[in-house]
Amino acid sequence: MAGLYIHIPFCASRCIYCGFYSTTKTNLQDRYVEALCKEMDLRKNELVLANEKINTIYIGGGTPSQLSLVNITKIFTHIYDVWGPKVDAEEVTIECNPDDITDEFAKAIAQLPINRVSMGAQTFNDDRLKFLHRRHCSDEVRSAVSRLQKYGIKNISIDLMFGFPDESINDWASDIDEAISLGVQHISAYSLMYEEGTTLFKLLNQNKVKTIDEETSLTMYNMLIDKLSSAGYEQYEISNFAQHGFQSKHNNSYWHDIPYIGIGASAHSYDIKSRRWNVSDITKYISSIESYTLPFEEETIDKNTKYDDLITTAMRTREGIDTEKLKIDFGNDLYTYFMNEADKHINNGALQNVNGRISLTRNGLFVSDDIMSDLMHI
C-alpha cells in the first residue's frame, strides 16, 4: 500500500514557531489547486503507484482549511478521477485550524471521503496562543471538536505544545486535562522548538524569550505520558498517542518504510529506492506545472542512507527495529555496528532488546535524538 500526501501551503498569517513551507498569498488558491490537479495527471503512472493502492490520503499544510469548499471538493474529485480503482483509502485526513471549522465546513467535509481531522490546538491558554500568533482562541477548539463530532467525524487528532517560556508544570497539566476532556481519539504533543529562520528563533537570539530548563521539560514529558496513559491513550511513537485502533495510519507509513507520493509545493515523495521533493516556492511551482514540467529535485538512496533513514524513523516507534531483518537487509557490517552502539544504551537503560527488537525505554524517550545520533552511520 502507499500513501498520498497533498500540501496546501496557504496560511492567513504565520505562526512564530513554524518551519514548514507556507505562504500568505491566498489570491493564488484557484491557480494552485489547478496546478495540484495537473501534477496528479503528470504523475498518474509513477512507479510508486503503478504497483500499489493508495491506502491513506493526507491533506496537510499550511492550513488546508483555508481553501474554499469548492477547491477541497475539486481536489478529491481529481484524486479519484486520476487513480480511480487504485484508491482504497482507509484513512483520509485533513489538517484544520479550529476557527475555520464552522457548521457549514464540518458538514461539507463529512460528506467527502474525509474521515479524520487533525487540528493544531497547541494550548488552551489564550495568552500563549497570542504569543504564538495563532488565529484561534481556546473556546474555538472546543467548539470545533463538538461540530466535527456532530457531523459524524469520529477520528479527531489535536496537537499540543509544551515548554513555553515561563510555562509552569501546573499550566501544562491543565492543557493535558483539557485535551483529554474533549474525548478526541488522537493527541500529538511536541516540545516548543526554536527552529532557525523562524520568528521564535530570532526572539531567542535577541534575548526576548528564554527556553525552559531541561529538568522542567523532562518533568512535562513524563507527565504527558502518565496522564495520557491513565486516560487510555497508547504511546505508539515518541510524540504520538492514540486510543486503541486510532493510530495515524498515514504517519505510520513514514516510520515503517512504506512508499508515498507527495503532491504540491515542497511536498516529498519516496519510492524505497529514491526520494524527491518539489520546489518550496508557490510561484515557481505553479508556473512550472502550467508548463507541464515537474519542479523537483531527487536523490538515490544508497544502503548507508537507507540505514540512517531506518534509525531516524523506526527508532521513533514503540516497535523499534527488528535486528534479524536489519541483518538481512543491511549485512553483517552495519548490523554489527548497530548492535555495538545499541549495547551501550541498553547497558545504561535507554534501550531495550525484547525478542530481537531494539526499542527505546521510557528513560530513552526524552534523549532519543542523542541515541539515534549514536546509532546512525554517517
Side-chain angles (χ1 to χ4, degrees):
M1 309 297 272
L4 173 64
Y5 175 81
I6 296 179
H7 191 69
I8 308 298
F10 302 108
C11 288
S13 59
R14 289 277 291 176
C15 300
I16 65 171
Y17 59 86
C18 184
F20 292 110
Y21 174 66
S22 65
T23 178
T24 56
K25 298 177 181 177
T26 54
N27 60 305
L28 293 175
Q29 284 191 17
D30 290 346
R31 279 183 66 197
Y32 183 74
V33 170
E34 286 297 328
L36 290 177
C37 293
K38 285 183 181 178
E39 186 184 357
M40 291 185 220
D41 293 335
L42 293 170
R43 300 179 67 182
K44 178 177 182 178
N45 297 315
E46 223 168 84
L47 182 62
V48 70
L49 291 175
N51 301 314
E52 306 280 354
K53 284 187 177 292
I54 297 174
N55 190 42
T56 62
I57 299 172
Y58 196 105
I59 315 294
T63 314
S65 54
Q66 279 285 287
L67 287 181
S68 68
L69 290 170
V70 170
N71 276 328
I72 293 173
T73 302
K74 183 180 292 186
I75 289 169
F76 279 101
T77 299
H78 208 74
I79 289 170
Y80 285 86
D81 285 346
V82 170
W83 286 297
K86 287 186 175 294
V87 182
D88 186 21
E90 300 175 31
E91 178 188 274
V92 182
T93 303
I94 186 169
E95 291 182 349
C96 297
N97 251 40
D99 54 314
D100 289 332
I101 301 179
T102 61
D103 272 287
E104 179 190 13
F105 183 90
K107 183 178 181 180
I109 65 170
Q111 293 170 349
L112 292 170
I114 295 166
N115 57 18
R116 183 174 185 270
V117 169
S118 178
M119 284 193 299
Q122 315 311 0
T123 175
F124 293 91
N125 180 291
D126 287 334
D127 288 335
R128 283 195 283 274
L129 287 171
K130 289 176 184 176
F131 166 73
L132 294 176
H133 289 193
R134 297 291 294 177
R135 289 188 287 118
H136 71 275
C137 66
S138 56
D139 280 343
E140 287 174 312
V141 178
R142 302 179 187 99
S143 298
V145 170
S146 178
R147 285 191 183 104
L148 291 169
Q149 291 169 337
K150 179 172 73 171
Y151 290 106
I153 300 293
K154 298 177 181 178
N155 190 351
I156 301 170
S157 175
I158 63 170
D159 291 349
L160 294 178
M161 283 185 173
F162 64 93
F164 291 91
D166 302 321
E167 182 181 20
S168 71
I169 300 297
N170 287 338
D171 290 338
W172 176 228
S174 177
D175 271 356
I176 301 170
D177 291 341
E178 284 271 12
I180 292 170
S181 72
L182 294 176
V184 295
Q185 288 70 37
H186 189 280
I187 296 173
S188 300
Y190 308 94
S191 176
L192 182 65
M193 300 297 291
Y194 295 77
E195 292 192 39
E196 190 170 354
T198 64
T199 301
L200 186 60
F201 184 80
K202 294 175 185 175
L203 292 174
L204 180 66
N205 283 344
Q206 294 166 358
N207 295 316
K208 293 182 178 179
V209 296
K210 292 182 179 179
T211 61
I212 62 168
D213 62 87
E214 189 169 304
E215 183 179 347
T216 301
S217 186
L218 176 58
T219 301
M220 288 178 169
Y221 186 57
N222 280 323
M223 175 182 285
L224 171 75
I225 296 171
D226 290 338
K227 279 183 168 289
L228 291 185
S229 176
S230 295
Y233 292 85
E234 303 169 352
Q235 184 177 21
Y236 67 100
E237 192 266 351
I238 291 171
S239 301
N240 286 277
F241 303 78
Q243 293 178 356
H244 184 70
F246 288 95
Q247 293 185 9
S248 169
K249 293 180 174 64
H250 185 85
N251 287 340
N252 262 329
S253 70
Y254 299 147
W255 303 319
H256 290 91
D257 203 36
I258 295 171
Y260 53 88
I261 184 170
I263 302 291
S266 84
H268 286 232
S269 301
Y270 170 69
D271 67 0
I272 306 297
K273 297 179 181 179
S274 67
R275 181 167 35 238
R276 61 192 276 185
W277 54 96
N278 286 343
V279 62
S280 296
D281 183 308
I282 189 169
T283 305
K284 290 181 180 178
Y285 170 79
I286 291 173
S287 61
S288 181
I289 294 293
E290 286 177 345
S291 300
Y292 298 94
T293 302
L294 294 170
F296 69 91
E297 295 182 57
E298 186 173 19
E299 69 170 343
T300 300
I301 300 174
D302 60 22
K303 184 169 75 171
N304 283 333
T305 302
K306 192 167 182 62
Y307 167 84
D308 285 344
D309 285 349
L310 176 72
I311 297 301
T312 57
T313 53
M315 281 305 297
R316 296 185 61 87
T317 67
R318 182 176 55 193
E319 298 94 338
I321 290 175
D322 182 333
T323 55
E324 187 61 32
K325 187 173 188 304
L326 179 82
K327 188 174 185 179
I328 293 169
D329 290 347
F330 295 98
N332 282 326
D333 288 347
L334 282 175
Y335 169 79
T336 301
Y337 173 83
F338 173 84
M339 293 303 296
N340 287 339
E341 292 297 320
D343 279 344
K344 302 173 189 176
H345 294 288
I346 291 172
N347 292 334
N348 67 23
L351 290 178
Q352 60 189 351
N353 188 341
V354 179
N355 298 323
R357 298 195 78 96
I358 295 198
S359 60
L360 294 163
T361 64
R362 171 81 177 252
N363 290 336
L365 288 169
F366 189 74
V367 291
S368 58
D369 286 348
D370 292 336
I371 296 170
M372 285 187 275
S373 178
D374 290 343
L375 294 174
M376 290 173 72
H377 192 263
I378 299 174

